């Protein structure tokens, strides 16, 4: 099935050039020149992935993502200015799956889109009628993770995670009590030799904790081992 990519940017040159590049690679594209016009469309007719610029009039990318995350967990890649480290951190903390700084290589953007879509596809059940062993449901204390349905619950209450957040949490929960370094979490969540830095993993961890604390203010199952990494405790 052909994946649909939504592009949201007030720079029409970027919209045109990236759209053409994606279509050449076999993707379908939908383009929006501001956050306001994009929000309703992204919620009512979700694409497989959205690429959002941060700096836009009317509604910037951060506000668009915040409102989008109230309704949807579709994968999101942010386009940021080269020096907007604060915006990058905010975007990741709010639930973006990745970010790319402008000016950017279209080959890099396409590689990251493909990587995220592969992770998304891996989290979905098979629909081709073939024999595929169902992914095992992971239960750790109050945590239940169903990879086939991309479903997470804590004490029976649903917690909505992005694909990247799901993979990081799954990696930690698979071996409770074992410390996972940031590099190990990067390898689990970002394949194909895509580079991300420590701040990216830290931001995703903060976001996961925040989501669980919305359903359980006492949530403390993800522990930080300063200088070492993170571990999951199901006690």
């Amino acid at each position: 099935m052909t994946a649909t990519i939504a592009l949201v940017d007030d720079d029409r040159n970027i919209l045109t050039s990236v759209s053409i590049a994606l279509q050449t690679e076999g993707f379908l594209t939908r383009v929006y020149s501001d956050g306001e016009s994009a929000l309703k469309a992204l919620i009512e007719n979700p694409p497989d992935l959205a690429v959002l610029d941060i700096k836009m009039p009317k509604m910037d990318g951060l506000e668009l993502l915040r409102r989008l995350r109230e309704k949807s967990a579709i994968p999101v890649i942010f386009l940021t200015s080269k020096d907007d480290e604060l915006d990058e951190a905010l975007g990741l903390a709010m639930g973006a799956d990745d970010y790319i700084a402008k000016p950017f290589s279209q080959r890099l953007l396409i590689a990251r889109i493909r990587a995220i879509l592969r992770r998304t596809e891996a989290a979905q059940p098979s629909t081709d009628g073939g024999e595929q062993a169902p992914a095992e449901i992971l239960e750790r204390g109050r945590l239940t993770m169903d990879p086939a349905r991309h479903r997470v619950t804590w004490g029976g209450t649903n917690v909505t995670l992005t694909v990247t957040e799901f993979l990081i949490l799954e990696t930690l929960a698979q071996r409770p009590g074992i410390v996972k370094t940031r590099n190990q979490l990067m390898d689990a969540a970002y394949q194909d030799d895509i580079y991300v830095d420590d701040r990216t993993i830290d931001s995703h961890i903060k976001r996961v904790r925040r989501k669980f604390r919305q359903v359980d203010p006492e949530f403390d199952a993800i522990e930080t081992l300063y200088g070492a990494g993170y571990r999951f405790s199901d006690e």
Side-chain angles (χ1 to χ4, degrees), residues 35 44-45 57 120 123 174 205:
E44 293 184 350
N45 187 19
T120 305
Q174 283 173 340
I205 291 288

Side-chain angles (χ1 to χ4, degrees), residues 14-57:
I14 289 179
L15 287 180
T16 300
S17 62
V18 174
S19 181
I20 291 173
L22 288 171
Q23 290 170 17
T24 300
E25 293 293 321
F27 294 103
L28 299 176
T29 60
R30 303 204 304 260
V31 299
Y32 308 92
S33 58
D34 65 81
E36 282 188 353
S37 63
L39 179 61
K40 184 176 180 181
L42 294 180
I43 292 175
E44 293 184 350
N45 187 19
D48 295 287
L49 182 145
V51 179
L52 312 180
D53 185 29
I54 285 187
K55 303 294 186 182
M56 293 187 293

Side-chain angles (χ1 to χ4, degrees), residues 33-227:
S33 58
D34 65 81
E36 282 188 353
S37 63
L39 179 61
K40 184 176 180 181
L42 294 180
I43 292 175
E44 293 184 350
N45 187 19
D48 295 287
L49 182 145
V51 179
L52 312 180
D53 185 29
I54 285 187
K55 303 294 186 182
M56 293 187 293
K58 296 184 180 179
M59 181 187 296
D60 66 19
L62 292 173
E63 177 63 14
L64 173 57
L65 177 63
R66 185 189 69 78
R67 296 177 64 175
L68 182 62
R69 281 290 175 255
E70 294 174 353
K71 303 288 186 179
S72 172
I74 63 170
V76 168
I77 295 176
F78 260 135
L79 300 180
T80 73
S81 297
K82 185 175 181 180
D83 298 323
D84 285 343
E85 294 185 1
L86 178 60
D87 286 344
E88 292 169 2
L90 282 173
L92 291 168
M94 292 167 64
D97 291 89
D98 206 345
Y99 67 87
I100 296 179
K102 295 180 178 180
F104 59 90
S105 159
Q106 291 185 356
R107 287 185 60 189
L108 175 62
L109 175 61
I110 291 170
R112 294 198 179 185
I113 287 173
R114 290 192 184 281
I116 292 175
L117 289 177
R118 278 195 292 273
R119 301 202 305 271
T120 305
E121 183 178 356
Q124 303 299 321
S126 174
T127 58
D128 59 9
E131 294 295 326
Q132 177 177 318
E136 293 185 3
I137 293 177
L138 180 66
E139 296 183 343
R140 296 289 186 265
R142 301 181 66 191
L143 174 70
T144 301
M145 301 187 73
D146 184 347
R149 296 175 175 80
H150 191 74
R151 186 169 184 264
V152 181
T153 64
W154 180 259
T157 302
N158 288 331
V159 181
T160 301
L161 301 181
T162 66
V163 174
T164 302
E165 292 165 354
F166 188 100
L167 290 170
I168 291 173
L169 178 60
E170 183 181 37
T171 301
L172 291 170
Q174 283 173 340
R175 300 190 67 189
I178 302 299
V179 178
K180 294 291 185 178
T181 67
R182 289 175 176 82
N183 284 337
Q184 289 173 318
L185 295 176
M186 289 177 196
D187 289 343
Y190 293 89
Q191 302 170 6
D192 304 314
D193 298 323
I194 290 177
Y195 172 77
V196 294
D197 58 25
D198 288 357
R199 186 186 64 229
T200 303
I201 296 299
D202 292 341
S203 294
H204 285 309
I205 291 288
K206 290 178 182 177
R207 177 69 178 179
V208 171
R209 284 172 170 156
R210 185 177 302 118
K211 287 182 175 181
F212 276 88
R213 285 170 181 162
Q214 288 174 351
V215 302
D216 178 7
E218 302 301 319
F219 175 82
D220 61 356
I222 299 177
E223 301 176 354
T224 302
L225 285 300
Y226 293 99

